[in-house]
Amino acid sequence: MRLIILFLMIEALVYMGFWLLSDGGESSALVLKSLYVFNSSLVAAKYVALYTQMMIWAKGTQSGVDFSLFQSMDMIVAIAMAVFSGWLVSFSGYSTLFICASSVTIAAVLILFLCRNQQQACSSLIES
């Protein structure tokens, strides 16, 4: 879970970088390309961490079904966000998209951090 939180924090910074580059002015194509390649690598690493976490959560008697449900929900959210992002860009532009993406990513970090702390507190109560 720590890796997912770390990757999301870095991703929020990357989205802020995209926002800065998209908000007008002359931006270097090399900087934009480098940020895009870094973002693609980060997304790949984030998926590995997320799917590892989903495999941990899916332990049990029906782990295949549980993992399939997690993966299906992941894809449903991805499709819905792709549609919403396209709509948002068509009406408000890319700078708005990157601000929203950064804000949602920061919110996800906070939610995961709070859930992680609460899960650790519950685990310590069960162990004692």
Side-chain angles (χ1 to χ4, degrees):
M1 183 72 79
R2 284 182 281 172
L3 272 178
I4 296 171
I5 292 171
L6 175 66
F7 289 152
L8 286 173
M9 290 182 344
I10 296 169
E11 188 175 50
L13 293 174
V14 169
Y15 288 144
M16 287 180 200
F18 278 129
W19 171 71
L20 289 172
L21 292 172
S22 71
D23 201 27
E26 289 287 319
S27 62
S28 169
L30 179 62
V31 173
L32 187 59
K33 289 176 187 177
S34 300
L35 193 59
Y36 178 77
V37 169
F38 179 74
N39 186 50
S40 297
S41 301
L42 181 64
V43 167
K46 186 179 66 173
Y47 270 113
V48 170
L50 177 64
Y51 278 47
T52 301
Q53 185 64 46
M54 287 193 303
M55 285 183 211
I56 291 168
W57 287 335
K59 286 183 181 175
T61 58
Q62 295 184 351
S63 57
V65 173
D66 292 347
F67 184 77
S68 295
L69 290 172
F70 285 141
Q71 189 176 19
S72 297
M73 197 64 206
D74 180 40
M75 289 300 107
I76 289 169
V77 170
I79 291 168
M81 288 298 101
V83 170
F84 175 74
S85 296
W87 175 82
L88 185 63
V89 166
S90 69
F91 285 102
S92 300
Y94 281 101
S95 60
T96 304
L97 172 70
F98 294 130
I99 286 293
C100 288
S102 184
S103 301
V104 168
T105 303
I106 291 169
V109 168
L110 294 174
I111 290 168
L112 284 176
F113 188 75
L114 292 173
C115 289
R116 184 173 168 262
N117 286 343
Q118 185 170 353
Q119 184 180 14
Q120 287 174 346
C122 290
S123 295
S124 65
L125 286 175
I126 291 171
E127 291 172 2
S128 60

